Amino acid sequence: MRRHHEGRGEGRGDRRGRGAARSATALAAVLALAAALAGCGSDSAEESADEEVALRLVAPEYGDSAETSSKGYWKRVVAGFEKGHPGTTVDVEVHPWRTVDKVLARQVAAGNAPDLAISGTYASYAADGELYRADDLLSIGTQADFLPPLARAGEMQRVQYGMPFAASTRLLFYNRDLFEEAGLTPPKTWDGVRSAAEALKKRDVPYPYALPLGPEEAQAETLNWLLSGGSGYTDDLGSYTLDSPENVETVGWLKKELVGEGLTGPTPPGELDRADAYAAFAKGRVGMVNGHPSLMRAAERSGVRYGVAPVPGRTEDAGATLGVTDWMIGFRQAGHPEEAGAFLDHVYSQKNALAFTRAHDLLPVTHTASDTLTAAPGNTTLRRFLAELPEARLYPSEKTSWPELSTRIKSGLADAVAPGGSPKAVLSRLQRHAAAYENPQAGNG
């Protein structure tokens, strides 16, 4: 049963005590009128029941070619749903990741919000009252099936608005051939990363360690390193800590020991996007790079032998790695919670969740799909990513300030490792921006 938090039965008057004051004739008239109105209401209800509901979902493209496009996945999912739910249709708009959030924002601003959307953010929409709660839409079984860390990350003030859709973690990818030729083993510490990168540079590997701090996804690479240094974007209470001493030391180490020593390749980190770093790895030009599961398929297509290892830490394995999840959100504006909820129950079924995982090498977000993936033969590397998920640290997506701060990190963090850059100055500036976004009345820092 789905729970809805709107008022029920509004406008119903309490008629007790009135019957004694009415004459038999008046009562008969009232009953006759009520019967007539009931008849009209019945016709209206029948018409409403016969009315077709058209749902609309805005989704990002997870594939990297026509053959792997998400459109094929959604076509199959929608066909299965519509077959079992006559009278409800679903139209899925698939947009590139670089534009999907902008498209969604424009539609919402124009009063044309979709029923459902998959987005990188949910907090601002929830704060503006645009979204259904998760328990407005999902059956109890579906909502309870989410992995707890991901479900909690979708909460604002202990109410879940963001429903995790797809997840990933990060591991260190390394080129097995290059490592074997250089007599190297996967590094466990920062010093090990530097030593391996030095050995690879001597063998003319173009990118001993690829450090993508370009505007595509600098916030991910940055958080991976900050976590490995013992801090992150926020503390355990959720307060921003960008300029913590640990973070300043981490970024300073990157600047001096990797970038400053020419171990990150010919492209400056601030100009190297994740997609370019992954493409270079798939061409055998990269010794090491932090990667998510989709890099496996790209490397295999190119015939590159690769290995994966935990993200190295300051002195030992980092312990916590970056976790990322995309958010399914439901908009109130369209007003079809029952139909949208039924579609979501279908989407999150074990069959469809596993189909998405297999199509795009991303991690499932439910217990049932995760357990099945873990128990199944094969997929050993994907299971290693899945094993990192319970302890992974996610972006502070519950903060309405996060989208703006993330944009600042994408465009400005690389200045900290550039020649003449100051890690402390850059991180302090980002911390001031974070404080200003959290408290706009305080100014822009």
Side-chain angles (χ1 to χ4, degrees), residues 330-372:
F331 286 88
R332 289 180 171 275
Q333 188 181 104
H336 300 126
E338 288 290 342
E339 294 82 3
F343 180 63
L344 290 179
D345 285 344
H346 179 71
V347 168
Y348 285 110
S349 68
Q350 178 177 307
K351 174 184 176 182
N352 289 324
L354 287 172
F356 183 84
T357 290
R358 293 177 179 127
H360 298 296
D361 286 332
L362 290 169
L363 303 180
V365 298
T366 62
H367 285 290
T368 52
S370 297
D371 292 346
T372 300

Side-chain angles (χ1 to χ4, degrees), residues 7-19:
R8 296 174 181 259
E10 294 177 358
R12 294 176 182 173
D14 182 359
R15 295 182 173 84
R16 288 176 298 177
R18 296 182 183 178

Side-chain angles (χ1 to χ4, degrees), residues 280-303:
F281 186 88
K283 293 177 181 177
R285 292 167 51 81
V286 173
M288 296 171 282
V289 65
N290 286 328
H292 63 53
S294 70
L295 183 53
M296 297 187 300
R297 184 171 297 187
E300 289 163 0
R301 276 200 302 255
S302 300

Side-chain angles (χ1 to χ4, degrees), residues 199-256:
L200 294 169
K201 183 182 179 181
K202 290 178 181 178
R203 302 181 70 85
D204 296 323
V205 175
Y207 293 88
Y209 181 91
L211 184 66
L213 295 179
E216 180 189 7
E217 206 182 39
Q219 83 284 2
E221 182 72 11
T222 300
L223 183 52
N224 243 339
W225 278 96
L226 300 187
L227 291 171
S228 74
S231 188
Y233 290 144
T234 59
D235 60 20
D236 292 339
L237 299 177
S239 299
Y240 283 119
T241 57
L242 281 90
D243 61 350
S244 70
E246 295 88 350
N247 288 345
V248 172
E249 183 177 348
T250 296
V251 178
W253 188 91
L254 282 173
K255 173 180 169 60
K256 178 182 178 182

